Amino acid sequence: LYAERTFQRDRYFPFVAFNHEQIRGSSTGGFLLTKRSNFKAVAQKILSVDKDALQSLIDRGTDGGIGSPNTPEERQCMEILSLINYVSARVPGSFTQRRFQRSEIKALIMAYNVPMFFVTFAPTDFKNPLCLYYCGESIDLSETMLDIPACRERLNAIATNPVACAHFFDLVVRSFVEHVLRVDNEKGRDGLFGRTSTYYGTVE
């Protein structure tokens, strides 16, 4: 994808590719579910779910209630929901995946204490020569005084190639982790903020 700009500039290809990635994640989660030893019991629970009990849980949740199961039928519905989460946790961009990320952050806080620093990245892509180079602009990065295009041309290059911008952002984040935080530094050197015990990063 990075080497072929025809796909980078296509308006629909990123959405098609992301949809396929979500389908693959869902299929993988479903395959792992079928490999579990209790698959037959799970299938039976799905087939025998009480629709009235399920609707009761939905109504209580819609009205702002806690939605705790009160009957054996409602508890069975909640068990099925946990199985659905097992599959959707592997789907990129899903609500369950974000919930699992929050659980990972909570686990890190319990293991390493609360974070000392919160860092937000907002690189100015249309002013950065490297990002423009990824977009296909003719820029010699080895020169000291770079000859970059006019502002309008730069904005157009950024707008027509979101993949290059994502590539640039990924490089900035990885460089920050490696050279500023110095996570797992081979020489054991501390980072800019001292020794980094752990970190967690996510994209909005």
Side-chain angles (χ1 to χ4, degrees), residues 54-113:
L54 181 61
Q55 187 61 47
S56 177
L57 288 173
I58 295 173
D59 293 339
R60 294 209 303 271
T62 304
D63 296 335
I66 300 177
S68 300
N70 298 325
T71 64
E73 290 78 11
E74 291 182 354
R75 282 193 289 272
Q76 180 178 344
C77 293
M78 296 300 291
E79 291 178 5
I80 295 175
L81 182 60
S82 67
L83 297 172
I84 295 174
N85 289 338
Y86 180 84
V87 176
S88 61
R90 290 164 175 77
V91 179
S94 66
F95 174 79
T96 305
Q97 188 184 62
R98 294 195 296 270
R99 194 176 69 179
F100 274 37
Q101 288 178 332
R102 288 195 293 269
S103 298
E104 291 174 343
I105 294 174
K106 292 176 182 177
L108 286 176
I109 291 176
M110 295 178 64
Y112 295 96
N113 211 333

Side-chain angles (χ1 to χ4, degrees), residues 119-123 130 165-183 199-204:
V119 181
T120 301
F121 289 99
L130 180 59
C165 299
H167 188 191
F168 167 69
F169 180 80
D170 179 73
L171 178 65
V172 170
V173 174
R174 292 182 183 276
S175 299
F176 177 83
V177 172
E178 180 179 356
H179 301 291
V180 178
L181 298 182
R182 286 179 177 167
V183 176
Y199 72 97
Y200 194 93
T202 184
V203 180
E204 294 182 353

Side-chain angles (χ1 to χ4, degrees), residues 127-147:
K127 292 184 178 180
N128 193 289
L130 180 59
C131 185
L132 296 172
Y133 175 79
Y134 285 155
C135 289
E137 296 297 318
S138 300
I139 298 177
D140 188 356
L141 297 177
S142 62
E143 294 183 0
T144 305
M145 300 297 294
L146 299 177
D147 183 18

